[in-house]
Amino acid sequence: MLSLYHAPDSRSSRFIWLLEELGTPFEIVYCDIKRRSGRGAADPKNPHPDKRVPALMHGEQLVTESAAIALYLTDTFPSAGIGVLPGAPDRAAYLTWLAFYAGEADPAYTVRSIYKGRVDPASEKDHRRVAARVSSALKQGPFLLGDQFSAADIFMSGPFEWDPTLAPENTAVDEWLARLAARPAARRAAARDTPPNGASPTQAT
């Protein structure tokens, strides 16, 4: 059984979407986390060593870190076709996008969220490079891997959705985000982001 340890309105929200796309049974264990704002607290039921989310339990196996979880899930459940298996032509590009998300796009969002309008010129240049990389890929097709929707789209789209200033007035990015938001799995995931029936994260699974 797959168990996703998830805090509403956090990076673990993308994993509800990924799991919905995979179409394999899973449960959501809603957790509290310590937020940058000071709200929340570490949840003792969370198996993550640092009490962060996402954390994924698959039987007795614990997987943490966004890129690792994405790769683990798409390799383990390949039938949905949203990953690229070893030996396939786009495997290198797929791995590169997952690593680029973790090493470049997500840090760019974090810097912008902390410093807002006070991002230094060197960081701003790096952030424009992230946006340009995505825009360039989207010239080749509707998704980052061309015609194939993949988990790379799920995760790379996050920073651009959370902070539109990362790619302002960028038609290619805006249309990509709209295509992704219209996917049925994305809509189902959004409906499951918060615990049902108004329960608090510590009350619901």
Side-chain angles (χ1 to χ4, degrees), residues 5-121:
Y5 288 78
H6 161 66
D9 191 25
S10 76
R11 286 170 175 79
S12 60
S13 300
R14 312 306 277 190
F15 287 90
I16 303 177
W17 179 9
L18 174 56
L19 287 160
E20 288 285 350
E21 294 279 1
L22 290 176
T24 191
F26 69 98
E27 66 170 351
I28 301 172
V29 183
Y30 295 91
C31 296
D32 197 10
I33 55 171
K34 185 70 173 178
R35 306 273 181 170
R36 191 179 298 277
S37 66
R39 295 184 296 112
D43 196 323
K45 69 172 175 284
N46 185 351
H48 193 295
D50 302 319
K51 304 303 180 190
R52 302 172 70 181
V53 293
L56 181 78
M57 291 296 303
H58 186 199
E60 298 299 316
Q61 298 190 86
L62 170 65
V63 193
T64 64
E65 312 313 318
S66 291
I69 299 173
L71 186 60
Y72 178 86
L73 284 172
T74 56
D75 279 2
T76 303
F77 302 97
S79 61
I82 62 168
V84 183
L85 292 176
D90 282 336
R91 176 70 171 189
Y94 178 60
L95 295 181
T96 297
W97 280 116
L98 293 181
F100 189 72
Y101 163 76
E104 299 276 359
D106 191 71
Y109 163 73
T110 299
V111 167
R112 298 179 83 83
S113 67
I114 293 173
Y115 296 104
K116 302 200 182 292
R118 298 177 289 114
V119 177
D120 64 273

Side-chain angles (χ1 to χ4, degrees), residues 108 111-112 115 119-129:
V111 167
R112 298 179 83 83
Y115 296 104
V119 177
D120 64 273
S123 294
E124 191 66 60
K125 182 178 179 180
D126 284 340
H127 300 171
R128 289 198 300 271
R129 178 174 51 81

